[in-house]
Amino acid sequence: MTTAEELDLVAVGETMVMVTPEPGGRLNTGSSFILRPGGAESNVAALLAKLGHRSAWASAVGTDPLGDIIMESLNGQGVDVDLVRRDERRPTAVYFKDPAPSGTKVYYYRTGSAASAMNTSDVAAWTQRPARIVHISGITAAISADGMDVARHVVSDRPFGPALVSFDVNHRPNLWTNGAAELRALAQRSDIVFVGRDEAEALWGTSDVDSVRELLDEPTSLIVKDGATEAVAFTPAGVFREPSIRTDVVDAVGAGDAFAAGWLSGLLDDRDEVTRLRLGHYVASRVLASPSDFAELLPAREIVGMLDSLFDEPNGEAADDPRSDDLCRRP
């Protein structure tokens, strides 16, 4: 890919090495482990690449083997990693997942990481690649003072020029002392915002999706995800609601990133508002059914042809149709 070629999306944020037990295992000495990339923004980039879009991930990692794992894995998934800076002084962050029937617990080790030192000088280098959308989340703003500067710069100063700014609130309470005001300010300055209904309630005390829109009234498109119930999009074309697909959940981590990837795919392909929401639900359902933050997907144009059959059945029961699995199994 040449430097002059326009990207569909640049995703900005930290990616760590995720250490997860093989399926059925726990975080203990009796399990074998798998090393994979794990990061909200790079998840979006990787899933968009699988859906057939040109995506890049912009960040920093160490020159250690963990950084190599992330770079090689994301590149293998079709993500352009040319914008990633290798830092000789700081390590690549790592986190551990401990799956259990009561829910997955996650343990992070990211203090002093290479990505926590990302700064506005890095952004200047990233903007050499033109892109239609730049995607960032509240996690970047929370990992360090430099990360907050990067987030503010991207959403307020618009260094990527005409690119739309997509912002996923992605509130992580363990990273914030009090992030409500900062996260609202970042959301208000963005063009596209993704937020969970329960997340908004915890942050800002909103009571329903309409009150979320009243609070975040500046983004051109606001997508409020209400868990297993529905997603609601507030857009210039109107307000659109689509129910979630019934899914047997294996691991909920990464589902929000997956929804964002599906919705953004629909936007990039200029699909109607209902199709955007349905693509979001579909990609999220595949990640929910996976033990990782990722799922194999066909190009979006092939998935779209099946969406009507998935959503026209009551309660999304057609999602259990074997053809739905075929969308992930076919090469």
Side-chain angles (χ1 to χ4, degrees):
M1 184 177 289
T2 65
T3 56
E5 186 175 355
E6 183 182 55
L7 294 160
D8 289 322
L9 178 137
V10 172
V12 175
E14 179 170 51
T15 294
M16 300 172 283
V17 165
M18 175 180 66
V19 183
T20 184
E22 290 185 340
R26 294 291 306 277
L27 192 58
N28 55 42
T29 57
S31 294
S32 298
F33 297 90
I34 302 169
L35 304 183
R36 293 192 178 100
E41 296 84 2
S42 63
N43 285 344
V44 172
L47 289 164
L48 273 171
K50 288 296 181 183
L51 290 167
H53 302 282
R54 299 180 303 277
S55 65
W57 168 56
S59 189
V61 296
T63 55
D64 46 35
L66 298 181
D68 295 340
I69 289 170
I70 291 173
M71 297 283 282
E72 293 169 7
S73 180
L74 289 174
N75 186 54
Q77 292 169 6
V79 177
D80 187 319
V81 295
D82 289 347
L83 299 179
V84 180
R85 174 172 56 83
R86 302 302 296 265
D87 192 323
E88 296 181 352
R89 297 178 300 164
R90 298 178 180 87
T92 304
V94 62
Y95 72 105
F96 297 79
K97 291 175 70 172
D98 186 16
S102 58
T104 299
K105 291 185 178 180
V106 183
Y107 303 89
Y108 295 95
Y109 300 88
R110 71 197 318 167
T111 302
S113 69
S116 70
M118 291 186 297
N119 55 58
T120 54
S121 296
D122 289 315
V123 179
W126 301 335
T127 58
Q128 301 306 305
R129 297 291 302 277
R132 296 172 63 189
I133 299 172
V134 56
H135 180 76
I136 194 167
S137 85
I139 298 173
T140 300
I143 59 175
S144 66
D146 285 334
M148 176 61 80
D149 288 343
V150 166
R152 288 172 175 160
H153 183 46
V154 168
V155 304
S156 297
D157 300 332
R158 300 299 176 109
F160 287 86
L164 295 173
V165 173
S166 168
F167 180 72
D168 192 331
V169 173
N170 241 329
H171 180 230
R172 296 292 186 270
N174 61 316
L175 292 178
W176 291 95
T177 300
N178 180 12
E182 291 287 4
L183 288 169
R184 183 187 179 200
L186 291 168
Q188 285 283 66
R189 298 186 188 112
S190 300
D191 300 303
I192 303 160
V193 174
F194 299 94
V195 66
R197 186 202 57 75
D198 55 347
E199 179 181 39
E201 182 179 2
L203 273 170
W204 304 305
T206 52
S207 56
D208 53 29
V209 294
D210 292 314
S211 61
V212 178
R213 183 51 164 173
E214 290 173 7
L215 184 83
L216 302 179
D217 57 351
E218 295 186 26
T220 304
S221 295
L222 171 67
I223 300 89
V224 184
K225 302 162 292 180
D226 193 0
T229 304
E230 65 176 354
V232 182
F234 297 88
T235 76
V239 180
F240 300 85
R241 299 172 181 265
E242 280 296 311
S244 303
I245 297 176
R246 191 183 69 187
T247 306
D248 292 328
V249 177
V250 174
D251 187 350
V253 177
D257 309 327
F259 184 96
W263 193 93
L264 291 169
S265 172
L267 174 67
L268 288 164
D269 287 339
D270 197 28
R271 303 199 184 273
D272 63 81
E273 298 290 348
V274 170
T275 301
R276 295 177 195 181
L277 288 171
R278 289 181 172 186
L279 274 168
H281 281 313
Y282 176 80
V283 180
S285 74
R286 304 319 304 173
V287 170
L288 285 166
S290 165
S292 74
D293 299 358
F294 190 70
E296 291 293 337
L297 299 164
L298 286 180
R301 64 181 180 275
E302 299 187 44
I303 297 172
V304 167
M306 242 186 89
L307 288 177
D308 285 347
S309 66
L310 291 173
F311 283 89
D312 288 345
E313 293 292 329
N315 300 318
E317 291 183 7
D320 292 333
D321 190 312
R323 293 175 300 166
S324 174
D325 292 334
D326 287 344
L327 284 172
C328 291
R329 290 175 182 160
R330 287 168 54 194

